[in-house]
Amino acid sequence: MTVRTRFAPSPTGLLHIGNARAALFNFLYARHHGGQFVLRIEDTDRERSTQQAVDVLFDGLAWMDIESDEKPVFQSTRQARHAEVAHELLEKGLAYRCYCTADELKDMREKAMAEGRPPRYNG
């Protein structure tokens, strides 16, 4: 079995110490075991993802001398596949549609937090 690790940051903000630690740990773990390290950019939040954050991420990884063994994957380029799998799950009855509005979801989160519970979708 080949060890394969990945670093999958969301480019909605700048690279921080937690991101750097995760990337470094996964990179070193893969190298230690003769495996592969891959980079997957979780850029599906189109409203908050920015090119500046992607650039800072790449600059930070280069500064740490961390290189992906493959071309980085941007999740936004795989939306068709994600939709295909979601439809398969719906057809098999393994998933369901949520018809909540953004405001309803926000209210759920705020209510849960006000009650001291973790903010979770109530189903």
Side-chain angles (χ1 to χ4, degrees):
M1 179 174 82
T2 300
V3 169
R4 186 173 164 91
T5 64
R6 60 136 172 89
F7 176 52
S10 177
T12 56
L14 301 180
L15 183 67
H16 56 76
I17 192 71
N19 290 135
R21 181 227 173 260
L24 183 60
F25 179 86
N26 288 342
F27 177 78
L28 293 174
Y29 188 86
R31 290 296 177 265
H32 177 76
H33 292 284
Q36 299 172 323
F37 172 78
V38 297
L39 179 60
R40 184 178 76 207
I41 307 296
E42 298 287 342
D43 63 339
T44 55
D45 183 345
R46 304 308 297 158
E47 291 179 19
R48 297 187 316 141
S49 295
T50 67
Q51 186 59 49
Q52 178 194 15
V54 172
D55 294 343
V56 168
L57 172 71
F58 286 138
D59 289 346
L61 292 175
W63 181 81
M64 292 187 292
D65 206 20
I66 294 176
E67 238 180 84
S68 181
D69 291 315
E70 297 175 1
K71 184 178 175 183
V73 172
F74 287 79
Q75 286 296 85
S76 62
T77 64
R78 304 180 73 190
Q79 287 179 331
R81 175 64 180 145
H82 296 166
E84 178 184 331
V85 171
H87 289 294
E88 286 176 22
L89 293 171
L90 287 167
E91 289 171 11
K92 293 177 181 177
L94 299 173
Y96 61 91
R97 294 183 185 275
C98 172
Y99 296 99
C100 297
T101 66
D103 287 337
E104 289 170 328
L105 293 170
K106 180 182 173 198
D107 290 343
M108 280 182 223
R109 283 191 300 274
E110 289 174 355
K111 181 180 178 190
M113 290 172 26
E115 294 172 354
R117 295 182 291 114
R120 300 277 187 262
Y121 173 61
N122 68 12

